[in-house]
Amino acid sequence: MKRFAQAVLLVLSGLGVLHATLVTDLYLRYVKEGMRPLLIGSGVLLVALGVAEALSRRKAPAGDGHGHGHDHSGVPKVAWLLFLPALSLLFHAPPALGSYTASRVAPKAVAVVDQDDFDPLPATSPLPITLRDFTQRVQQDTGRAIEGRTVRMTGFVTPVGGGDGWYLTRIMVSCCAADAQSVKVRVYGVRAPAADTWVAVTGVWHPGGTLGTSSAEVALDVRTVEKVERPSNSYTDALPLGE
């Protein structure tokens, strides 16, 4: 029974990985898009190993099993819990990282940009911009190009522990969910939608501190909030695909 359980676990795990990468895009909840080929290969390998294990069990000599006709070694009850992660990928995948994680993971350090590296902002209004670019413009651009500009940013809602407003948030991963970091922009002027709701917001910089210096508050006075679908590139601080 033990070898049969091992074979089933391998096959279920492999099918779960293949389901998350080939049938759906659930794998994007846990790893970056570039990991997809490796996951597909891993899924195929797990299924192949499980099938090989099952076939080897069927071909085993009748006396195999410590000299007896059957293998009486049982599977510890706790070992059956290993089936739960495999089944969850097939039937009820864990949710993507969201506000709970964002309130606990380390903030992503925003790189220092030389003033000469800031390009003129396009005349587009509202101006699509990432949360990191907005942060850099607010705290490092001494030309104050962001002042008075209507911008558009996309992220998910993270409640503020105390005080006014809420956070527009993006989570970034270098490889997988285990190395997640977050970047946030505080939002004022509009009541917060439910936590983890993906939204596109438009607004202008919320005055606080001296614009173009580290004292400037990374915040937005929002004029509109629009609920949107979670973008497929949600684990990057990039403009949503299509913008």
Side-chain angles (χ1 to χ4, degrees), residues 7-31:
V8 172
L9 182 59
L10 286 169
V11 170
L12 284 177
S13 298
L15 290 177
V17 172
L18 293 175
H19 177 265
T21 51
L22 294 177
V23 180
T24 70
D25 62 357
L26 289 175
Y27 75 100
L28 291 173
R29 296 183 180 182
Y30 320 112
V31 299

Side-chain angles (χ1 to χ4, degrees), residues 84-147:
L84 296 180
L87 291 173
S88 70
L89 283 175
L90 284 170
F91 302 110
H92 186 65
L97 301 181
S99 60
Y100 178 85
T101 301
S103 62
R104 288 162 175 79
V105 300
K108 176 70 173 179
V110 176
V112 176
V113 179
D114 188 273
Q115 186 60 36
D116 293 334
D117 291 335
F118 283 110
D119 295 324
L121 291 174
T124 307
S125 185
L127 172 69
I129 192 170
T130 67
L131 277 64
R132 282 183 298 178
D133 287 346
F134 180 77
T135 301
Q136 289 173 332
R137 289 286 183 174
V138 167
Q139 295 193 330
Q140 300 179 33
D141 182 7
T142 57
R144 303 164 66 100
I146 203 71
E147 187 172 21

